[in-house]
């Protein structure tokens, strides 16, 4: 079995839990009441969207069991933002998840912990922005895109539909990943 273990990270997690505890949030109203979510003016959030819950963070311990990584950050949503139905926007773990003014998010999008999205960007349906991504201003991310953790997308960039982005994309660039090849032919033995 292949398991990634990071003893230093695990020690840090345990120290944070000892000092601050774990406080999970299960609804937008609860997140607002606990000041975990800040929502600007003229923000539209459609039904089924979940904002401010913990991201997906676990670390393997000495026995290969998973221990939860606590989340202490917020979700900060700017003004004039639209979030369509059935999206998830996780709170940050040690930093905040931020959505800039005027950004529009289509249905079924997942925005992980510590993601930062600039102003007036568009994110297409069923896209996934993994932890610590940084999206610039005036970016267009079309449908079914996956952006790997820690990737930076520059200002005015366009990410084509169904792309898997695992490299930084500079300002004013158009990125598309194409996989137009058969990787396995089941008829051949």
């Amino acid at each position: 079995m292949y398991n990634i273990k990071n003893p230093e990270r695990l020690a840090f997690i345990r120290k944070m839990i000892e000092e601050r505890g774990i406080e999970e949030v299960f609804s937008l109203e609860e997140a607002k009441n606990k000041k975990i979510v800040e929502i600007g003016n003229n923000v539209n959030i459609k039904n089924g969207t979940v904002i401010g819950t913990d991201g997906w963070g676990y670390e393997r311990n000495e026995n290969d069991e998973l221990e939860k990584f606590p989340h202490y950050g917020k979700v900060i949503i700017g003004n004039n933002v639209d979030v369509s139905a059935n999206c998830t926007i996780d709170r940050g773990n040690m930093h905040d998840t931020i959505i800039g003014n005027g950004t529009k998010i289509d249905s079924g999008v997942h925005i992980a912990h510590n993601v930062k999205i600039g102003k007036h960007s568009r994110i297409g349906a069923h896209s996934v922005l993994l932890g610590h991504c940084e999206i610039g201003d005036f970016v267009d991310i079309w449908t079914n895109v996956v952006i790997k953790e820690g990737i930076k997308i520059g200002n005015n960039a366009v990410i084509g539909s169904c792309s898997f982005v695992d490299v930084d994309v500079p300002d004013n660039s158009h990125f598309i990943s194409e996989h137009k090849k058969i990787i396995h032919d089941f008829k051949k033995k």
Side-chain angles (χ1 to χ4, degrees), residues 132-158:
H132 303 274
C133 291
E134 292 183 24
I135 311 301
D137 298 333
F138 306 102
V139 171
D140 287 329
I141 298 171
W142 296 114
T143 59
N144 294 308
V145 169
V146 175
I147 301 178
K148 191 173 180 239
E149 56 276 339
I151 294 298
K152 293 176 176 52
I153 308 294
N155 296 326
N156 304 302
V158 175

Side-chain angles (χ1 to χ4, degrees), residues 165-179:
V165 184
D166 60 350
V167 295
D168 290 345
V169 177
D171 291 351
N172 306 305
S173 297
H174 187 175
F175 177 95
I176 187 164
S177 62
E178 293 188 36
H179 303 286

Side-chain angles (χ1 to χ4, degrees), residues 20 22 31 33-34 50 54 61 70 83 86 92 94-95 101 111 119 130 135 139 148 154 164-165 169 188:
R20 299 175 73 174
I22 293 180
N33 290 338
K34 292 182 177 181
V50 178
D54 284 4
N61 66 20
V83 182
N86 300 316
M94 302 307 290
H95 305 283
N101 292 337
I111 299 172
K119 62 185 178 186
L130 297 174
I135 311 301
V139 171
K148 191 173 180 239
F164 174 73
V165 184
V169 177
K188 292 182 181 177

Side-chain angles (χ1 to χ4, degrees), residues 20-185:
R20 299 175 73 174
I22 293 180
E23 180 180 39
E24 290 195 74
V25 176
F26 297 98
S27 72
L28 180 55
E29 286 307 311
E30 185 181 5
K32 284 181 185 176
N33 290 338
K34 292 182 177 181
K35 309 277 190 252
I36 292 168
V37 173
E38 297 175 13
I39 298 176
N41 297 318
N42 195 33
V43 173
N44 298 306
I45 301 169
K46 294 194 177 168
N47 288 341
T49 290
V50 178
I51 301 173
T53 57
D54 284 4
W56 194 71
Y58 298 89
E59 188 66 42
R60 290 214 181 264
N61 66 20
E62 304 82 5
N63 301 315
D64 289 330
E65 300 164 335
L66 295 170
E67 292 190 23
K68 184 168 181 52
F69 191 108
H71 288 68
Y72 302 116
K74 297 179 181 181
V75 174
I76 300 171
I77 299 175
N79 299 322
N80 304 309
V81 172
D82 290 341
V83 182
S84 290
N86 300 316
C87 295
T88 53
I89 304 172
D90 294 340
R91 70 190 281 198
N93 52 27
M94 302 307 290
H95 305 283
D96 296 332
T97 300
I98 299 171
I99 300 172
N101 292 337
T103 290
K104 311 302 179 196
I105 301 168
D106 202 356
S107 298
V109 170
H110 175 69
I111 299 172
H113 61 277
N114 303 338
V115 169
K116 291 178 178 33
I117 301 171
K119 62 185 178 186
H120 298 284
S121 291
R122 293 186 286 190
I123 303 171
H126 303 287
S127 292
V128 177
L129 283 63
L130 297 174
H132 303 274
C133 291
E134 292 183 24
I135 311 301
D137 298 333
F138 306 102
V139 171
D140 287 329
I141 298 171
W142 296 114
T143 59
N144 294 308
V145 169
V146 175
I147 301 178
K148 191 173 180 239
E149 56 276 339
I151 294 298
K152 293 176 176 52
I153 308 294
N155 296 326
N156 304 302
V158 175
I159 309 298
S161 293
C162 301
S163 291
F164 174 73
V165 184
D166 60 350
V167 295
D168 290 345
V169 177
D171 291 351
N172 306 305
S173 297
H174 187 175
F175 177 95
I176 187 164
S177 62
E178 293 188 36
H179 303 286
K180 294 183 180 177
K181 64 180 181 177
I182 297 171
I183 59 171
H184 183 76
D185 184 345

